[in-house]
């Protein structure tokens, strides 16, 4: 019987142990697998962003070379400056504009090229056909005209906001004549989606501002970390994965939905927590099992023994726990009953013995008392007679 009991508990504890080990091992394994999935998706997104980054960087470099060549190494521009006071220089303006138009055909992310002669007020502009600005064209032209005449022009590439749009700009000047190349960053983000079909959104930003897809960022509450140089990071409790690269003095980021992008991915991501929860539930069940078959019956026995030690033989143990403990409790109750019966019989025998002794004592006392009484009477009579 003892061997069967031990075997039963060994099997139960082995099952609990296997479940807990399974939960821990598979939970850890799935977490590592999810980490690998994260890294693979981030690697893919980084590769996609790298393609666009390389394209954008080459376009910016090409614009830099184009503007430099136009300002310093172009015959039409030289003639335009040489004939500044001559009304007949307009053909050279047209030639410069044609040169701008040809460049826009091959450099799709450039929104416009502008020409400003602040000395004579001559202006020219060419806009990319994809942009389709409408009335915004006049805003851009007028804004840059005022900007070049009234403000100190920054060196190199810089960001300029006109209305609700942000523009990446490059200005070169020669003899108070400026050539301006403009990247419309919101449109550049749309072009990236159009030309490269990214699973996500392209965002330009720096520490203070978001230059494109601002509505998308605000709507989803996405946090962008300009100082993060890791391969990827998550925003909004892993709802969005962010990969980013430095471009001039701002960053370009590819933001893709991660956690909610796939039901399978969501399940895989939750599975480690499910396995860990299974382990905790198993431990809780094991503790409850031990409490029901061991701790409660043991406490009950200990309390009963304390009452017996205090002299209370009426106490009985409630049968609970496993069959083994129930048998122990039945034996304990039977033992207490036998002890109570034996004690009662002992009391009864002792009382009977005391009664018999008392009766015998009474029988011994009665004759002597009668004889003494007679002797006393006889003694009194003799005394009366003598007197």
């Amino acid at each position: 019987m003892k061997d069967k009991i031990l075997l039963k508990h060994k099997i139960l504890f082995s099952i609990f142990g296997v479940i807990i080990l399974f939960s821990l091992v598979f939970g850890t394994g799935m977490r590592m697998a999810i980490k690998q999935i994260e890294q693979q998706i981030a690697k893919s997104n980084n590769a996609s962003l790298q393609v666009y980054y390389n394209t954008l960087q080459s376009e910016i470099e090409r614009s830099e070379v184009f503007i430099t060549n136009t300002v310093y190494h172009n015959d039409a521009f030289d003639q335009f400056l040489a004939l500044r006071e001559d009304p007949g220089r307009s053909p050279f303006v047209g030639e410069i504009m044609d040169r701008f138009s040809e460049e826009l055909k091959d450099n799709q992310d450039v929104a416009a090229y502008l020409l400003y002669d602040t000395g004579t007020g001559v202006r020219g502009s060419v806009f990319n056909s994809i942009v389709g600005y409408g009335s915004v064209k006049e805003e851009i032209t007028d804004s840059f005209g005022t900007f070049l005449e009234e403000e100190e022009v920054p060196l190199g590439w810089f960001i300029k906001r006109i209305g609700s749009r942000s523009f990446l700009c490059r200005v070169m000047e020669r003899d108070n004549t400026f050539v301006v190349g403009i990247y419309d960053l919101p449109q550049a983000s749309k072009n990236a989606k159009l030309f490269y079909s990214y699973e996500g959104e392209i965002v330009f930003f720096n520490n203070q501002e978001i230059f494109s897809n601002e509505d998308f960022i605000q709507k989803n509450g996405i946090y962008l970390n300009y100082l993060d140089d890791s391969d990827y990071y998550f925003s909004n409790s892993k709802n969005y994965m962010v990969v980013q690269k430095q471009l001039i003095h701002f960053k370009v980021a590819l933001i893709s939905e991660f956690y909610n992008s796939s039901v399978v991915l969501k399940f895989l991501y939750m599975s480690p927590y499910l396995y860990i929860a299974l382990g905790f539930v198993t431990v809780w069940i094991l503790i409850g099992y031990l409490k029901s078959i061991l701790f409660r019956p043991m406490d009950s026995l200990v309390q009963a023994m304390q009452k017996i030690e205090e002299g209370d033989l009426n106490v009985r143990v409630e049968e609970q726990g496993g069959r083994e403990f129930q048998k122990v409790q039945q034996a304990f109750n039977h033992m207490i009953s036998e002890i109570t019966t034996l004690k009662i019989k002992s009391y009864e025998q002792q009382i009977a013995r005391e009664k018999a002794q008392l009766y015998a004592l009474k029988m011994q006392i009665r004759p002597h008392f009668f004889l003494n009484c007679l002797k006393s009477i006889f003694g009194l009579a003799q005394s009366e007679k003598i007197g």
Side-chain angles (χ1 to χ4, degrees), residues 60 64 67 147 153-159 168-172 179-181 248-249:
I60 290 173
E64 180 79 17
I67 296 172
F147 171 67
V153 180
L155 298 177
W157 292 86
F158 61 94
I159 300 290
L168 175 62
C169 310
R170 180 68 169 101
V171 178
M172 283 193 181
V179 173
V180 184
I248 312 177
H249 55 279

Side-chain angles (χ1 to χ4, degrees), residues 139 143 160-167:
E139 275 185 45
S143 175
K160 180 173 176 58
R161 185 175 285 273
I162 300 175
S164 61
R165 305 175 79 89
S166 297
F167 298 90

Side-chain angles (χ1 to χ4, degrees), residues 50-310:
Q50 187 69 47
V51 171
Y52 179 63
Y53 172 82
N54 292 340
T55 302
L56 194 60
Q57 189 177 44
S58 64
E59 288 178 347
I60 290 173
E61 291 173 355
R62 177 171 176 166
S63 293
E64 180 79 17
V65 172
F66 171 74
I67 296 172
T68 302
N69 289 335
T70 300
V71 173
Y72 294 104
H73 308 291
N74 181 259
D75 293 337
F77 199 83
D78 292 340
Q79 292 296 323
F80 174 77
L81 292 178
L83 300 174
R84 174 168 282 175
E85 304 300 331
D86 190 341
R89 67 173 179 168
S90 42
F92 298 108
V93 177
E95 188 175 339
I96 295 172
M97 293 300 104
D98 291 340
R99 179 178 171 83
F100 288 168
S101 297
E102 288 298 321
E103 179 63 20
L104 286 179
K105 291 179 182 178
D106 298 326
N107 206 340
Q108 297 293 331
D109 277 334
V110 180
Y113 283 109
L114 310 176
L115 175 67
Y116 290 88
D117 186 345
T118 56
T120 62
V122 174
R123 295 182 180 184
S125 61
V126 176
F127 286 86
N128 196 321
S129 59
I130 294 178
V131 175
Y133 281 105
S135 61
V136 180
K137 292 181 180 180
E138 295 181 5
E139 275 185 45
I140 295 172
T141 305
D142 294 340
S143 175
F144 271 96
T146 304
F147 171 67
L148 296 173
E149 289 176 357
E150 299 180 359
E151 299 182 32
E152 184 177 349
V153 180
L155 298 177
W157 292 86
F158 61 94
I159 300 290
K160 180 173 176 58
R161 185 175 285 273
I162 300 175
S164 61
R165 305 175 79 89
S166 297
F167 298 90
L168 175 62
C169 310
R170 180 68 169 101
V171 178
M172 283 193 181
E173 180 264 341
R174 180 181 170 189
D175 295 337
N176 294 323
T177 300
F178 297 88
V179 173
V180 184
I182 300 175
Y183 275 78
D184 182 354
L185 295 182
Q187 186 61 41
S189 295
K190 294 178 182 178
N191 290 347
K193 187 86 171 179
L194 179 65
F195 295 142
Y196 301 99
S197 300
Y198 291 135
E199 290 296 330
E201 298 291 340
I202 293 290
V203 177
F204 299 96
F205 71 101
N206 64 14
N207 245 335
Q208 292 80 30
E209 292 183 273
I210 297 171
F211 304 123
S212 66
N213 274 326
E214 189 173 2
D215 292 341
F216 169 74
I217 298 297
Q218 291 179 350
K219 177 182 177 182
N220 297 288
I222 297 173
Y223 168 72
L224 295 173
N225 187 352
Y226 184 78
L227 300 178
D228 197 317
D229 293 324
S230 58
D231 292 336
Y232 67 95
Y233 60 91
F234 287 102
S235 182
N236 294 25
S237 301
K238 296 190 181 284
N239 285 342
Y240 292 93
M241 175 183 283
V242 182
V243 295
Q244 60 193 31
K245 292 186 179 297
Q246 187 72 41
L247 184 66
I248 312 177
H249 55 279
F250 61 90
K251 285 192 174 181
V252 53
L254 174 59
I255 302 172
S256 59
E257 195 171 25
F258 179 77
Y259 184 72
N260 294 323
S261 60
S262 168
V263 176
V264 175
L265 183 61
K266 195 169 185 178
F267 172 77
L268 289 175
Y269 196 81
M270 288 297 298
S271 59
Y273 302 101
L274 296 176
Y275 286 122
I276 292 171
L278 176 61
F280 278 114
V281 170
T282 305
V283 170
W284 181 75
I285 293 173
L286 176 60
I287 292 173
Y289 174 74
L290 290 174
K291 190 174 181 180
S292 64
I293 69 168
L294 181 62
F295 299 138
R296 285 178 182 170
M298 185 66 72
D299 287 342
S300 179
L301 279 174
V302 171
Q303 291 174 5
M305 292 173 69
Q306 288 175 346
K307 290 182 179 180
I308 291 171
E309 187 178 357
E310 294 171 359

